[in-house]
């Protein structure tokens, strides 16, 4: 008996997600060819389009396997299937050229050099031996070379490098690892390195291999080299050379802020810092972030220059993520050279990272002794990402940039096309539409024209790559913020202004997928945020969802003498806190001794008369004040220096002392006529300060003072949250704001809340500081606008 003839079927499949520039089409080609199916695959502006034809069972098998083992860099977020008429075609499955059509797809972030490319880099028999730009579909630059979408070579900064015949064969072969790898090149047709010395250095300019050799020799000799990476320039020097590190710190006007260090390999990193399994995984991941780690100290660890991270028990380490880095740190058999390099962003402190070659020669003049550059343009700046790993193995990203951008976040609610401009510190914009949001790269501070120009370029680049045309702008409520003024100039109508701490809480809610139907208890602690009453907020507990908030509790305010000038002088903040608490300025107190007689006289007059003294409830300012009171930091050279030094001191006594300073919890009512919602609880630090001063008079060690203060804050928060649960029935607490980048405070607070039976939301991929602010602005503004149009 003859078996029935099975008629072929044809199926159209659309795949959405990060599926371009990651080897997805050759993966589809191999899968279809292995099942002897006909049809085609093509990139479109919406993702990848597949039409496949053959026996029904084989077509079903193809559809099932499609998402089981995608390429390493691919992320599939949606698959759509529809039956279409069979054509009867019998030819081989093909890869079609990219369609040019309106729509949206997702571009992968830049990723570290893969193991296969590293083997080729070190193999003398390979044609890409020592090629500084070796890459394939599984690694290398994507976001920082893309100039448009769909992602094909003409829409990248590799458009100016025509492929040689050998590279073109690889690029066109679906079975090759470099099939349609847009950055593909070789020493014969790709970008070239150049070494440009500063005038008078006594070194001649060099190209290619000689440029690398000269750069390594300069670093070994204690010089500072500006190194062009995928997302901008770094300033590099030997991290074990005390004079080189001190020179870099002085030239860059870095103050006491720690430098990141790039280690040649994982074994070198192990000699510098203590690594858990989760920290090792983060360090070696394709994202290659800077990871904050506990330092080893001699004789157990490598002796770094003291000024790499002065006074800190932690160090930020990263591993090489480009072939240039790998070559700069040396391959086996190379002449000796530094295996640990300071790698700090190529800029003067407070400015955006430099990406343009001509600009690098001028803006970095006086900072660098030489420039190791290349002729592949950078389409978008993208600084290194920074994270820490918690004891439970989860990550807290503190700066979300290279390795993450432009990967989208899935939103719990649909938003109208909206651009949120973030804040003025740690600025990163956020663009959203529907159920997706895209952060731009870390820009930094918007205190000058260079920062504002960088923000505008980031906005243009992100809208180009995502295809989102914003219809609404969202910004911080602070009338003096540059980011707020920029939002008003976007031509999108009046921006929606979102209160700073409401945005922080909304950001945490969105990251955890909360739809906002039930409010959360939001604990938003930072240094500065514009309050509804015109004062400086920053020690806030709000009852919040996306539609609004109510102020449940605050830190008791204290005067902020001199505004921004006061922030840079923790000793003045300390004395203002004592004044607010009714505590005397006793001779011998570190904060008193740190001030001149003139300062003390002026400060008394300011506080007595209320001159240039805006009230602040900022928890960050209280940490600064306590840092001065215990004698750690009286003049801050960079943001959060005083608080970081207080945390570092507390860590030394954390396991040995379990004491906690008490906060008074009282009812508080707003003054008549204020716009701020009426009343709530107040955390008054006066008892904690009194106890701290008493312990100090008894010569209690500074680390113990610092640890007891941290625990006192955590216990006050837990107590208030338990009270709020009793009053409202709410059981979810969001910990957010830059103060919760403090690992000790975050861990202790979360542990106390969890022990009390509360659900705790902590930031992961979205930074708790102002780097995550724009997501919250987007959710508050975009969801409100979306509902209004429904």
């Amino acid at each position: 008996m003859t078996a029935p003839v099975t008629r072929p079927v044809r199926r159209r499949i659309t795949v959405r997600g990060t599926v371009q520039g990651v080897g997805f089409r050759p993966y589809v080609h191999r899968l279809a060819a292995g099942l002897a199916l006909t049809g085609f695959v093509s990139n479109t502006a919406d993702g990848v389009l597949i039409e496949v034809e053959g026996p029904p069972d084989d077509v079903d098998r193809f559809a099932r396997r499609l998402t089981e083992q995608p390429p390493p860099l691919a992320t599939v977020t949606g698959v759509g299937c529809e039956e279409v008429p069979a054509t009867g075609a019998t030819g081989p499955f093909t890869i079609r050229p990219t369609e040019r059509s309106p729509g949206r797809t997702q571009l992968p972030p830049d990723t570290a050099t893969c193991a296969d490319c590293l083997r080729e880099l070190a193999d003398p028999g390979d044609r890409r031996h020592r090629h500084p730009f070796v890459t394939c579909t599984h690694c290398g630059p994507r976001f920082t070379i893309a100039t448009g979408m769909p992602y094909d070579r003409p829409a990248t900064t590799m458009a100016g490098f025509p492929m040689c015949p050998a590279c073109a064969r690889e690029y066109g072969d679906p079975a090759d690892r470099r099939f349609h790898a847009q950055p593909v090149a070789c020493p014969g047709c790709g970008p070239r390195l150049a070494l440009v010395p500063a005038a008078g250095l006594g070194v001649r300019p060099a190209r290619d291999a000689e440029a690398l050799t000269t750069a390594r020799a300069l670093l070994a000799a204690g010089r500072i080299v500006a190194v062009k990476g995928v997302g901008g320039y770094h300033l590099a020097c030997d991290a074990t050379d005390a004079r080189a590190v001190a020179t870099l710190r002085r030239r860059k006007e870095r103050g006491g802020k720690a430098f990141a260090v790039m280690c040649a390999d994982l074994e070198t990193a192990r000699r510098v810092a203590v690594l858990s399994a989760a920290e090792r995984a983060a360090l070696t991941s394709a994202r290659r972030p800077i990871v904050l780690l506990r330092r080893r100290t001699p004789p157990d660890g490598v002796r770094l220059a003291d000024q790499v991270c002065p006074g800190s028990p932690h160090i930020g380490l990263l591993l090489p993520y480009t072939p240039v880095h790998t070559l700069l740190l040396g391959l086996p058999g190379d002449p000796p050279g530094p295996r640990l390099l300071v790698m700090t962003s190529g800029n003067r402190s407070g400015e955006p990272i430099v990406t343009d070659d001509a600009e690098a020669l001028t803006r970095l003049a006086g900072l660098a002794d030489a420039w190791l550059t290349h002729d592949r343009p950078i389409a978008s700046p993208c600084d290194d990402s920074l994270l820490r790993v918690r004891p439970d193995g989860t990550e807290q990203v503190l700066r979300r940039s290279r390795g993450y951008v432009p990967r989208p976040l899935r939103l719990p609610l649909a938003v109208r096309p909206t651009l949120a401009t973030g804040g003025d510190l740690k600025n990163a914009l956020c663009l959203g539409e529907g159920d997706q949001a895209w952060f731009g790269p870390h820009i930094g501070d918007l205190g000058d024209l260079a920062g504002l120009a960088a923000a505008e370029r980031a906005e243009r680049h992100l809208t180009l790559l995502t295809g989102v045309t914003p219809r609404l702008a969202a910004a911080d409520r602070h009338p003096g913020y540059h980011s707020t003024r920029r939002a008003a100039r976007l031509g999108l109508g009046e921006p929606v202004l979102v209160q700073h701490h409401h945005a922080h809480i909304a950001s945490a809610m969105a990251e955890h997928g909360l739809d906002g139907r039930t409010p959360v208890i939001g604990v938003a602690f930072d240094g500065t945020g514009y309050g509804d009453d015109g004062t400086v907020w920053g020690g806030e507990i709000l009852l919040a969802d996306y539609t609004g908030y109510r102020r449940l509790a605050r830190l008791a305010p204290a005067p902020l003498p001199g505004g921004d000038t006061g922030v840079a002088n923790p000793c003045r903040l300390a004395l203002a806190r004592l004044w607010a608490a009714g505590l005397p300025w006793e001779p011998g107190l570190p904060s008193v001794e740190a001030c001149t007689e003139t300062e003390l006289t002026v400060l008394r007059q300011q506080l007595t008369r209320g001159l240039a003294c805006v009230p602040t409830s900022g928890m960050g300012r209280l940490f600064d004040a306590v840092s001065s009171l215990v004698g750690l930091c009286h003049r801050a050279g960079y943001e959060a220096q005083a608080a970081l030094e207080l945390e570092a001191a507390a860590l030394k006594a954390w396991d040995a002392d379990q004491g906690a300073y008490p906060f008074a919890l009282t009812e508080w009512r707003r003054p008549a006529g204020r716009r701020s919602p009426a009343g709530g609880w107040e955390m008054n630090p006066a008892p904690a300060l009194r106890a701290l001063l008493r312990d100090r008079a008894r010569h209690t060690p500074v680390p113990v003072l610092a640890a007891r203060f941290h625990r006192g804050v955590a216990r006050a928060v837990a107590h208030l949250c338990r009270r709020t649960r009793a009053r409202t029935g709410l059981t979810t607490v969001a910990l957010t704001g830059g103060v919760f980048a403090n690992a000790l405070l975050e861990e202790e607070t979360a542990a106390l809340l969890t022990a009390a039976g509360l659900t705790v939301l902590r930031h992961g991929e979205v930074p708790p500081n102002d780097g995550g602010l724009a997501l919250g602005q987007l959710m508050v503004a975009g969801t409100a606008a979306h509902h209004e149009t429904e």
Side-chain angles (χ1 to χ4, degrees), residues 53-79:
E53 184 170 333
D57 288 347
D58 289 337
V59 170
D60 287 341
R61 194 173 293 114
F62 172 88
R64 285 196 305 271
R65 293 180 181 175
L66 187 61
T67 57
E68 287 178 355
Q69 290 183 315
L73 301 185
T75 303
V76 176
T77 60
V79 178

Side-chain angles (χ1 to χ4, degrees), residues 54-278:
D57 288 347
D58 289 337
V59 170
D60 287 341
R61 194 173 293 114
F62 172 88
R64 285 196 305 271
R65 293 180 181 175
L66 187 61
T67 57
E68 287 178 355
Q69 290 183 315
L73 301 185
T75 303
V76 176
T77 60
V79 178
C81 296
E82 62 175 315
E83 302 297 325
V84 294
T87 65
T90 57
F93 190 89
T94 62
I95 297 177
R96 288 188 177 179
T98 295
E99 291 184 9
R100 301 283 168 177
S101 60
R104 180 181 309 143
T105 190
Q106 294 171 14
L107 184 69
D110 299 335
T111 54
T113 316
C114 70
D116 288 334
C117 285
L118 287 174
R119 278 193 291 272
E120 293 170 342
L121 186 72
D123 181 1
D126 192 278
R127 75 186 191 93
R128 289 188 175 85
H129 179 229
R130 292 186 175 273
H131 177 47
F133 305 96
V134 60
T135 184
C136 70
T137 54
H138 301 151
C139 68
R142 299 292 189 273
F143 173 71
T144 54
I145 64 170
T147 58
M149 292 296 283
Y151 177 70
D152 273 317
R153 196 172 181 107
T156 72
T157 58
M158 288 297 294
F161 297 92
M163 286 179 278
C164 67
C167 286
R169 281 194 298 273
E170 295 170 330
Y171 184 86
D173 182 359
D176 196 279
R177 200 175 87 248
R178 293 190 168 88
F179 176 75
H180 278 229
Q182 308 309 337
V184 66
C186 70
C189 65
R192 297 182 63 186
L193 286 177
L195 189 286
V196 181
L201 187 63
V203 174
R204 68 180 186 182
R207 299 294 298 268
D208 304 323
E210 186 185 355
L212 266 167
T213 301
T214 305
R216 292 194 75 222
L218 288 171
L219 290 167
R223 296 294 188 173
I224 297 165
V225 179
V227 180
K228 186 179 181 182
V230 293
Y233 278 82
H234 284 100
L235 292 169
C237 72
D238 183 352
T240 65
D241 187 324
R243 186 167 62 176
V245 175
T247 300
L248 177 56
R249 186 171 291 284
R250 173 176 50 80
R251 289 181 183 178
K252 194 172 176 179
E253 300 174 355
R254 180 81 171 182
K257 192 173 183 180
F259 285 125
V261 173
M262 180 175 283
C263 305
D265 50 35
L266 187 60
E267 187 53 43
T268 304
R270 285 195 183 101
R271 295 169 58 209
V272 176
V274 179
L275 295 176
S276 68

Side-chain angles (χ1 to χ4, degrees), residues 413-540:
L413 294 173
V415 298
R416 185 182 174 192
T418 302
L419 175 67
T421 58
D424 272 18
L425 299 178
K426 297 180 173 62
N427 182 264
L429 62 85
C430 191
L431 185 65
E433 182 177 16
D435 66 350
Q436 290 187 312
W438 293 263
F439 269 110
H442 168 82
I443 294 167
D445 299 349
L446 301 185
D448 57 22
L449 292 176
L452 291 170
E456 291 170 3
R457 288 195 298 270
E459 173 207 324
R460 289 195 298 269
H461 192 234
L462 198 59
T463 54
L464 181 69
L465 297 188
T466 61
V468 175
T469 301
R471 306 296 182 191
L472 181 71
D476 194 272
R477 194 172 285 174
H478 196 303
Y481 270 9
H482 295 290
S483 53
T484 303
R485 294 171 182 168
R486 189 168 71 86
R489 296 194 299 267
L490 291 173
L492 300 175
E494 195 71 23
V496 177
L497 302 182
V498 182
Q499 200 280 327
H500 191 86
H501 304 97
H502 185 202
H504 272 308
I505 296 165
S507 174
M509 292 172 63
E511 181 177 10
H512 284 271
L514 272 62
D515 62 11
R517 294 178 184 176
T518 303
V520 301
I521 305 167
V523 183
F525 285 176
D526 59 11
T528 300
Y530 189 75
D532 293 341
D533 54 4
T535 67
V536 179
W537 289 10
E540 312 307 314

